[in-house]
Amino acid sequence: MNNQDKIHVLARAVITDQNQILLCKTLDLSVSFYFLPGGHIETGEGAQDALLRELKEETGIDCKIKKFLGCLEYSFEPGHSSICHNHEYNFVFEAESKHLTSDRKIICPEKHIELIWMPISSLQEIDFRAEPLRKLLPLWLTGNSDNKFMSEMI
């Protein structure tokens, strides 16, 4: 099995404040894009524990899970969103911390990403990945969807 055939399982956070959403921006790839904070769930680790660990690694701040929003199964053209895989499961949670507010710049200890507050409405205008989350996040955040699972396969 080559790397492109691997399935990645990820825990992602939606952190909002004053109509802003916290996003990560890639710094180490030939094409920069934005994505939700979080990352890979390790073997033997639960999704919520993985997310809290990843948020601490990315922000240096302890966070709290508010609620599970949904899960997106997503596949894409090899090399489009990742050089290491093209099929992923994103477990998405709403998270918070009193120390993560849109009026504070967050210095990310990880050198391959930058953390940026951005208007939620701008998700439609930027290179945001995984792309189906553009339409799912507003539905999940407002509770206007009973569908907690979506699959978008190529």
Side-chain angles (χ1 to χ4, degrees):
M1 175 185 296
N2 69 40
N3 279 344
Q4 289 294 334
D5 296 330
K6 291 184 179 178
I7 296 173
H8 286 225
V9 182
L10 307 153
R12 297 284 182 205
V14 175
I15 301 171
T16 59
D17 182 54
Q18 299 184 40
N19 293 317
Q20 304 272 317
I21 187 168
L22 184 62
L23 298 177
C24 297
K25 179 182 179 185
T26 60
L27 298 176
D28 63 342
L29 302 175
S30 58
V31 174
S32 279
F33 58 88
Y34 298 87
F35 58 95
L36 293 173
H40 290 90
I41 300 171
E42 296 177 1
T43 303
E45 187 176 43
Q48 291 185 5
D49 291 336
L51 182 57
L52 294 175
R53 174 186 52 75
E54 287 283 350
L55 289 172
K56 179 74 172 186
E57 289 173 7
E58 293 172 353
T59 68
I61 295 171
D62 289 315
C63 295
K64 171 176 116 175
I65 305 288
K66 288 175 66 174
K67 66 180 176 180
F68 174 69
L69 294 175
C71 179
L72 169 66
E73 176 184 35
Y74 181 56
S75 75
F76 43 86
E77 292 295 326
H80 174 64
S81 288
S82 172
I83 58 172
C84 63
H85 69 285
N86 68 337
H87 189 150
E88 62 188 31
Y89 289 87
N90 291 273
F91 291 89
V92 182
F93 297 86
E94 189 172 13
E96 67 181 354
S97 171
K98 64 182 178 182
H99 302 292
L100 289 175
T101 57
S102 59
D103 59 345
R104 291 184 180 178
K105 178 157 177 60
I106 303 156
I107 305 301
C108 181
E110 297 187 356
K111 301 300 179 208
H112 65 282
I113 59 171
E114 177 182 12
L115 294 165
I116 298 171
W117 287 100
M118 190 169 286
I120 294 171
S121 60
S122 67
L123 291 179
Q124 305 305 319
E125 302 159 11
I126 61 173
D127 188 355
F128 177 69
R129 303 182 188 180
E131 290 92 345
L133 287 172
R134 292 176 203 260
K135 58 185 172 206
L136 285 173
L137 290 180
L139 296 173
W140 286 345
L141 285 168
T142 58
N144 289 331
S145 175
D146 292 331
N147 189 2
K148 297 291 184 188
F149 176 79
M150 180 185 173
S151 179
E152 189 155 315
M153 306 293 291
I154 56 169

